Protein backbone atom coordinates (compact mmCIF):
# COMPACT_ATOMS: atom_id res chain seq x y z
CA UNK A 1 0.00 0.00 0.00
CA UNK A 2 1.28 3.47 -0.87
CA UNK A 3 2.17 5.73 2.02
CA UNK A 4 -0.46 8.42 2.74
CA UNK A 5 1.12 11.67 3.91
CA UNK A 6 0.00 14.93 5.46
CA UNK A 7 0.57 16.44 2.00
CA UNK A 8 -1.89 13.95 0.53
CA UNK A 9 -4.40 14.99 3.18
CA UNK A 10 -3.78 18.68 2.47
CA UNK A 11 -4.38 18.04 -1.25
CA UNK A 12 -7.63 16.25 -0.41
CA UNK A 13 -8.74 19.17 1.78
CA UNK A 14 -7.88 21.60 -1.05
CA UNK A 15 -9.82 19.54 -3.60
CA UNK A 16 -12.86 19.19 -1.39
CA UNK A 17 -12.74 22.88 -0.46
CA UNK A 18 -12.92 23.70 -4.16
CA UNK A 19 -15.92 21.42 -4.67
CA UNK A 20 -19.44 22.52 -4.11
CA UNK A 21 -22.52 20.94 -2.76
CA UNK A 22 -23.71 18.95 0.16
CA UNK A 23 -21.47 15.93 -0.45
CA UNK A 24 -18.33 17.39 1.16
CA UNK A 25 -17.89 17.57 4.94
CA UNK A 26 -14.84 19.75 4.34
CA UNK A 27 -16.87 22.22 2.27
CA UNK A 28 -19.61 22.28 4.94
CA UNK A 29 -17.05 23.11 7.65
CA UNK A 30 -15.50 25.87 5.55
CA UNK A 31 -18.89 27.33 4.69
CA UNK A 32 -19.55 27.78 8.42
CA UNK A 33 -16.50 30.03 8.70
CA UNK A 34 -13.10 30.07 10.40
CA UNK A 35 -14.53 30.38 13.89
CA UNK A 36 -16.52 27.17 13.46
CA UNK A 37 -13.46 25.44 12.00
CA UNK A 38 -11.43 26.56 15.03
CA UNK A 39 -14.08 25.24 17.40
CA UNK A 40 -14.13 21.85 15.65
CA UNK A 41 -10.33 21.69 15.79
CA UNK A 42 -10.45 22.45 19.51
CA UNK A 43 -13.03 19.72 20.11
CA UNK A 44 -10.89 17.20 18.27
CA UNK A 45 -7.78 18.30 20.18
CA UNK A 46 -9.56 17.73 23.50
CA UNK A 47 -10.72 14.29 22.34
CA UNK A 48 -7.11 13.48 21.41
CA UNK A 49 -5.90 14.51 24.85
CA UNK A 50 -8.56 12.38 26.52
CA UNK A 51 -7.57 9.35 24.44
CA UNK A 52 -3.93 9.87 25.42
CA UNK A 53 -4.74 10.24 29.12
CA UNK A 54 -6.89 7.11 29.00
CA UNK A 55 -3.98 5.25 27.34
CA UNK A 56 -6.29 4.03 24.59
CA UNK A 57 -3.92 3.53 21.67
CA UNK A 58 -6.52 2.84 18.97
CA UNK A 59 -8.63 5.79 20.08
CA UNK A 60 -5.54 8.03 20.20
CA UNK A 61 -4.64 7.07 16.63
CA UNK A 62 -8.19 7.75 15.41
CA UNK A 63 -8.44 11.07 17.23
CA UNK A 64 -4.98 12.10 16.00
CA UNK A 65 -6.18 11.57 12.44
CA UNK A 66 -9.22 13.73 13.21
CA UNK A 67 -7.10 16.49 14.73
CA UNK A 68 -4.75 16.58 11.73
CA UNK A 69 -7.68 16.79 9.33
CA UNK A 70 -9.39 19.55 11.30
CA UNK A 71 -6.11 21.47 11.63
CA UNK A 72 -5.72 21.47 7.86
CA UNK A 73 -9.32 22.63 7.44
CA UNK A 74 -8.72 25.40 9.97
CA UNK A 75 -5.56 26.48 8.15
CA UNK A 76 -7.48 26.45 4.86
CA UNK A 77 -10.21 28.62 6.40
CA UNK A 78 -7.58 31.26 7.18
CA UNK A 79 -5.64 30.87 3.90
CA UNK A 80 -2.58 29.41 5.62
CA UNK A 81 -0.74 26.81 3.53
CA UNK A 82 0.91 23.71 4.94
CA UNK A 83 4.24 24.79 3.43
CA UNK A 84 4.07 27.99 5.51
CA UNK A 85 3.70 25.92 8.69
CA UNK A 86 6.53 23.66 7.55
CA UNK A 87 8.74 26.73 7.01
CA UNK A 88 8.03 27.87 10.58
CA UNK A 89 8.95 24.39 11.83
CA UNK A 90 12.14 24.39 9.75
CA UNK A 91 13.23 27.66 11.34
CA UNK A 92 12.77 26.11 14.75
CA UNK A 93 15.12 23.25 13.94
CA UNK A 94 18.08 25.62 13.80
CA UNK A 95 18.16 25.71 17.62
CA UNK A 96 17.18 23.46 20.49
CA UNK A 97 13.55 23.33 21.48
CA UNK A 98 14.29 24.95 24.83
CA UNK A 99 16.24 27.80 23.22
CA UNK A 100 13.52 28.33 20.61
CA UNK A 101 10.82 28.46 23.27
CA UNK A 102 12.86 30.91 25.36
CA UNK A 103 13.31 33.17 22.31
CA UNK A 104 9.56 33.65 21.74
CA UNK A 105 7.90 36.92 22.70
CA UNK A 106 6.28 36.89 26.07
CA UNK A 107 2.82 38.37 26.61
Amino acid sequence: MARFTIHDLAATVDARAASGGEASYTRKLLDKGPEHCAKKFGEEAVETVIAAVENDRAHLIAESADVLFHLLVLLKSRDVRLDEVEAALALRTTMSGLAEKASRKRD
Side-chain angles (χ1 to χ4, degrees):
M1 175 168 36
R3 185 170 177 241
F4 186 81
T5 71
I6 190 87
H7 291 276
D8 296 327
L9 181 58
T12 299
V13 167
D14 287 343
R16 291 185 181 163
S19 71
E22 295 291 311
S24 171
Y25 177 63
T26 302
R27 184 72 259 156
K28 285 183 178 183
L29 287 171
L30 291 167
D31 287 345
K32 291 181 180 179
E35 295 80 7
H36 180 78
C37 294
K39 181 180 175 194
K40 279 301 294 176
F41 172 71
E43 290 170 4
E44 297 300 338
V46 168
E47 291 171 4
T48 303
V49 169
I50 291 168
V53 168
E54 292 177 345
N55 197 24
D56 184 336
R57 187 174 193 279
H59 192 208
L60 177 57
I61 291 168
E63 292 301 338
S64 295
D66 288 348
V67 83
L68 289 174
F69 166 76
H70 284 89
L71 174 60
L72 291 175
V73 172
L74 174 58
L75 294 174
K76 181 74 173 173
S77 77
R78 290 294 189 193
D79 296 318
V80 175
R81 297 183 323 272
L82 181 57
D83 66 315
E84 293 174 293
V85 176
E86 289 176 323
L89 287 169
L91 287 174
R92 293 179 183 189
T93 64
T94 61
M95 63 179 80
S96 78
L98 294 175
E100 187 281 326
K101 187 172 181 177
S103 73
R104 293 185 203 170
K105 281 187 168 180
R106 301 228 190 308
D107 291 334

